[in-house]
Amino acid sequence: MRINRQHNVNYPFYMEFFHNKIYSSAAACAKNDSVTRCNLKMFWCYKKMVNEVTKELKQGGNVCQFGINFGNLIDEVAISIGNYGIYDIIDINPLELKRIRDKYGDLYKQIALIQDDIAFLNVKAIRDNVICFMLLSMVPDSYKRKIIDNALLMLKPNGKAIFIDWGRPKKYNVLGWGVKMYQQLYRPLTDKLHDVSIKSMSSYAYSDEFIWQQTGYLGGLLQKVVVTRREIALPKSSTSKINPKSSKI
């Protein structure tokens, strides 16, 4: 497993300000990397949501994951696409990239780790799947749209972007409203996801090129959004609009 540093990127201001230095401490990362702890944080739905991701993947797939997660998501994705798949993981935090490299070593040879800012990628439409797992709730609202749009533009025809995150709880969901109040106080970057859909945050919400499917869990507290790029023939003149000057991401 290798780390490719593609750009000199600045560490975002919001990481330490909003996330209490959790990603700059090896001890904190080790503590939070437990699957049991991930399950507790997601009200025993972590494993289910991981399964909801892997069911969209295929053997030999070309997959890109935005951001590193705690738990065993990486294991499950790597196993799902197999040894002949391509699995690139992009994160801006060099400490997190090193943690994953040290954790897995050469166990999954299909994985490549890339240091870059996912909100400002030059993308190329080559991916079967793009995964955003509990990521949008970790970034400011100004970054959410950029990340969603980049995920969609990475997809080749019939490719799927998979978003797992907090959602808009139903009015009757007492647990949901309690979580929402807590997150407003202590996790303010999550707030917008409780009020508007992921689709509404995208520049391509009403584009005929993409099909949106949303599923709620725990009374809407968690959500899965799958966006499929239609298989359509695009005019040659429009190719540059979809595939801007790109790196091999």
Side-chain angles (χ1 to χ4, degrees), residues 154-172:
M154 273 193 173
L155 299 174
K156 62 185 183 182
N158 290 324
K160 295 180 179 181
I162 308 151
F163 299 91
I164 302 291
D165 225 305
W166 300 105
R168 183 164 38 182
K170 304 292 185 182
K171 292 183 178 179
Y172 62 79

Side-chain angles (χ1 to χ4, degrees), residues 58-102:
K58 61 183 181 181
Q59 280 284 314
N62 185 333
V63 176
C64 183
Q65 179 177 318
F66 285 3
I68 290 172
N69 305 101
F70 296 125
N72 68 341
L73 174 66
I74 291 175
D75 300 82
E76 297 299 326
V77 173
I79 293 168
S80 294
I81 66 173
N83 293 331
Y84 295 101
I86 296 173
Y87 185 12
D88 292 344
I89 304 172
I90 305 175
D91 200 289
I92 199 169
N93 187 343
L95 295 178
E96 277 291 88
L97 292 166
K98 182 180 182 301
R99 177 177 72 84
I100 294 301
R101 184 185 61 183
D102 293 344

Side-chain angles (χ1 to χ4, degrees), residues 17-230:
F17 183 81
F18 287 105
H19 302 309
N20 300 322
K21 299 184 178 181
I22 189 174
Y23 296 105
S24 59
S25 166
C29 285
K31 181 179 179 181
N32 283 276
D33 201 33
S34 160
V35 173
T36 300
R37 192 175 181 88
C38 292
N39 257 325
L40 285 170
K41 287 184 175 181
M42 294 178 66
F43 301 97
W44 298 103
C45 279
Y46 174 78
K47 291 183 179 179
K48 178 176 180 60
M49 303 314 290
V50 169
N51 289 337
E52 288 298 320
V53 171
T54 57
K55 70 191 290 185
E56 305 292 343
L57 309 179
K58 61 183 181 181
Q59 280 284 314
N62 185 333
V63 176
C64 183
Q65 179 177 318
F66 285 3
I68 290 172
N69 305 101
F70 296 125
N72 68 341
L73 174 66
I74 291 175
D75 300 82
E76 297 299 326
V77 173
I79 293 168
S80 294
I81 66 173
N83 293 331
Y84 295 101
I86 296 173
Y87 185 12
D88 292 344
I89 304 172
I90 305 175
D91 200 289
I92 199 169
N93 187 343
L95 295 178
E96 277 291 88
L97 292 166
K98 182 180 182 301
R99 177 177 72 84
I100 294 301
R101 184 185 61 183
D102 293 344
K103 178 179 178 179
Y104 292 110
D106 293 325
L107 179 60
Y108 301 118
K109 296 186 182 300
Q110 63 270 52
I111 294 179
L113 303 175
I114 300 170
Q115 184 185 16
D116 211 336
D117 189 334
I118 53 180
F120 300 98
L121 295 174
N122 291 318
V123 300
K124 187 175 182 180
I126 60 172
R127 303 292 182 176
D128 295 305
N129 298 100
V130 178
I131 300 169
C132 294
F133 192 94
M134 304 305 287
L135 172 68
L136 297 177
S137 53
M138 302 293 288
V139 301
D141 293 347
S142 60
Y143 282 67
K144 288 180 173 64
R145 178 183 295 272
K146 296 173 183 176
I147 290 171
I148 296 167
D149 289 351
N150 280 341
L152 302 190
L153 293 178
M154 273 193 173
L155 299 174
K156 62 185 183 182
N158 290 324
K160 295 180 179 181
I162 308 151
F163 299 91
I164 302 291
D165 225 305
W166 300 105
R168 183 164 38 182
K170 304 292 185 182
K171 292 183 178 179
Y172 62 79
N173 189 344
V174 178
L175 173 64
W177 287 107
V179 171
K180 182 178 178 180
M181 291 176 63
Y182 172 84
Q183 291 179 338
Q184 283 177 334
L185 291 172
Y186 301 105
R187 299 288 185 269
L189 299 181
T190 306
D191 199 36
K192 191 168 185 177
L193 292 168
H194 291 311
D195 296 324
V196 302
S197 67
I198 289 176
K199 179 179 179 179
S200 69
M201 289 186 274
S202 172
S203 303
Y204 303 95
Y206 301 103
S207 169
D208 292 336
E209 193 172 352
F210 298 99
I211 303 169
W212 296 75
Q213 297 174 299
Q214 179 178 355
T215 307
Y217 304 84
L218 285 180
L221 181 58
L222 291 166
Q223 64 176 320
K224 172 187 176 183
V225 176
V226 177
V227 189
T228 305
R229 191 168 201 168
R230 294 181 188 273

